[in-house]
């Protein structure tokens, strides 16, 4: 077993409740986390998972705002790993403590996402099935980052996606406050998003996590 007492495994959802619970349970194979939590409106009591009740989440914007500002309420450890019903830990043996050197580690986006930060640098690391430090999840409230939508040439906006809101739109604020985002090679080892064609950096790598409802890994739960 891998012991990660300083990491909370967590999911936030009001949809696909049973699948989200199965994703949390599956992610615990061969790993002992400090805590395992499900933040939801649902009346559930899964074994080994602490349920934190909230009002029903009715949109992706509500989900994103809760994840950006409220996640620290539920995380008592130095890090958390956020999973979803369609993205979770599948190969625990791929864990490395090197991940803990960063405040955000998530799967790669394609170059086709055309995500650029304030300084004009293309952002590839940011998918939300990610490891996040307590420092990073605390920051939006601590420095009062305004809740404004992220628009990327019409692709994902106007609207809110918490991962691109943190890793693209407000990346400079997080970096100015000492947060470190994983480099591309480490992010490729962390996980994959399913794309056609596949992301080249992911080829030949067995991922720790995945994200994508059409990914074959979905069949595991």
């Amino acid at each position: 077993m891998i012991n990660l007492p300083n990491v909370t495994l967590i999911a936030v959802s009001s949809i696909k409740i049973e699948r989200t619970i199965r994703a949390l349970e599956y992610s615990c194979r061969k790993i002992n986390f400090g805590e395992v939590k499900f933040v939801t409106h649902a009346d559930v009591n899964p074994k080994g998972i602490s349920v934190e009740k909230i009002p029903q989440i009715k949109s992706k914007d509500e989900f994103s705002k809760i994840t950006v500002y409220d996640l620290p309420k539920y995380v008592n450890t130095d890090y958390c790993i956020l999973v979803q019903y369609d993205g979770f830990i599948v190969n625990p043996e791929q864990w490395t403590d090197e991940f803990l050197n960063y405040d955000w580690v998530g799967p790669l986006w394609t170059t086709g996402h055309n995500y650029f930060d304030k300084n004009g640098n293309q952002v590839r690391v940011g998918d939300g099935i990610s490891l996040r430090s307590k420092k990073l999840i605390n920051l939006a409230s601590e420095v009062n980052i305004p809740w404004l939508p992220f628009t990327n040439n019409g692709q994902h906006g106007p609207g809110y996606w918490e991962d691109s809101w943190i890793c693209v739109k407000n990346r400079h604020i997080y970096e100015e406050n000492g947060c470190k985002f994983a480099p591309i090679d480490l992010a490729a080892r962390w996980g994959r998003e399913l794309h056609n064609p596949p992301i080249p950096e992911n080829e030949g790598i067995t991922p720790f996590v995945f994200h994508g409802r059409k990914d074959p890994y979905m069949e595991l739960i």
Side-chain angles (χ1 to χ4, degrees), residues 58-114:
K58 297 181 179 179
S59 69
K60 67 177 177 64
D61 292 357
E62 286 187 14
F63 163 79
S64 290
K65 190 171 185 179
I66 290 167
T67 307
V68 166
Y69 294 106
D70 294 345
L71 205 59
K73 297 177 184 178
Y74 313 112
V75 176
N76 302 308
T77 53
D78 294 331
Y79 299 87
C80 65
I81 294 176
L82 184 73
V83 298
Q84 299 174 9
Y85 79 92
D86 62 348
F88 46 90
I89 297 169
V90 285
N91 295 298
E93 69 278 3
Q94 298 304 113
W95 172 265
T96 170
D97 286 347
E98 188 178 353
F99 295 141
L100 300 177
N101 293 332
Y102 297 90
D103 299 287
W104 181 292
V105 189
L108 295 176
W109 287 315
T110 68
T111 55
H113 276 74
N114 292 320

Side-chain angles (χ1 to χ4, degrees), residues 12 18 35 47 60 87-88 96-97 122 141 150 173 188 201:
V12 179
E18 292 303 320
E35 293 184 285
K47 184 179 179 180
K60 67 177 177 64
F88 46 90
T96 170
D97 286 347
Q122 187 169 40
S141 295
F150 169 66
I173 299 175
E201 292 91 346

Side-chain angles (χ1 to χ4, degrees), residues 1-218:
M1 295 291 288
I2 301 167
N3 292 310
L4 298 177
N6 61 339
V7 180
T8 296
L9 181 72
I10 192 167
V12 179
S13 186
S14 284
I15 63 169
K16 307 287 186 181
I17 300 300
E18 292 303 320
R19 289 204 75 121
T20 302
I21 291 171
R22 294 203 297 272
L24 285 164
E25 292 171 340
Y26 197 85
S27 296
C28 290
R29 292 175 314 113
K30 302 181 181 179
I31 303 178
N32 291 319
F33 289 101
E35 293 184 285
V36 181
K37 293 193 173 184
F38 186 17
V39 181
T40 183
H41 76 287
D43 291 321
V44 291
N45 187 29
K47 184 179 179 180
I49 298 173
S50 299
V51 176
E52 300 279 359
K53 293 296 291 292
I54 59 171
Q56 185 172 4
I57 302 168
K58 297 181 179 179
S59 69
K60 67 177 177 64
D61 292 357
E62 286 187 14
F63 163 79
S64 290
K65 190 171 185 179
I66 290 167
T67 307
V68 166
Y69 294 106
D70 294 345
L71 205 59
K73 297 177 184 178
Y74 313 112
V75 176
N76 302 308
T77 53
D78 294 331
Y79 299 87
C80 65
I81 294 176
L82 184 73
V83 298
Q84 299 174 9
Y85 79 92
D86 62 348
F88 46 90
I89 297 169
V90 285
N91 295 298
E93 69 278 3
Q94 298 304 113
W95 172 265
T96 170
D97 286 347
E98 188 178 353
F99 295 141
L100 300 177
N101 293 332
Y102 297 90
D103 299 287
W104 181 292
V105 189
L108 295 176
W109 287 315
T110 68
T111 55
H113 276 74
N114 292 320
Y115 283 164
F116 292 87
D117 66 15
K118 181 183 178 182
N119 299 315
N121 300 309
Q122 187 169 40
V123 177
R124 297 286 310 284
V125 178
D127 180 85
I129 308 302
S130 56
L131 174 82
R132 310 174 190 207
S133 72
K134 186 74 166 175
K135 177 170 69 174
L136 182 138
I137 65 174
N138 282 343
L139 194 69
S141 295
E142 286 182 350
V143 303
N144 296 315
I145 303 176
W147 187 237
L148 299 173
F150 169 66
T151 303
N152 183 61
N153 298 324
Q155 280 196 11
H156 279 173
Y160 300 90
W161 290 104
E162 53 93 22
D163 50 5
S164 54
W165 190 92
I166 292 170
C167 297
V168 185
K169 177 179 176 59
N170 294 299
R171 184 188 186 97
H172 60 289
I173 299 175
Y174 285 89
E175 290 182 329
E176 287 166 1
N177 284 275
C179 290
K180 298 191 298 181
F181 295 83
I184 286 176
D185 60 341
L186 189 67
R189 290 162 54 196
W190 170 264
R192 78 179 188 203
E193 271 195 303
L194 184 64
H195 290 280
N196 188 18
I199 295 175
E201 292 91 346
N202 288 136
E203 291 184 9
I205 294 176
T206 300
F208 178 64
V209 307
F210 84 101
H211 189 196
R213 63 198 66 181
K214 295 182 179 180
D215 195 296
Y217 279 125
M218 281 292 293

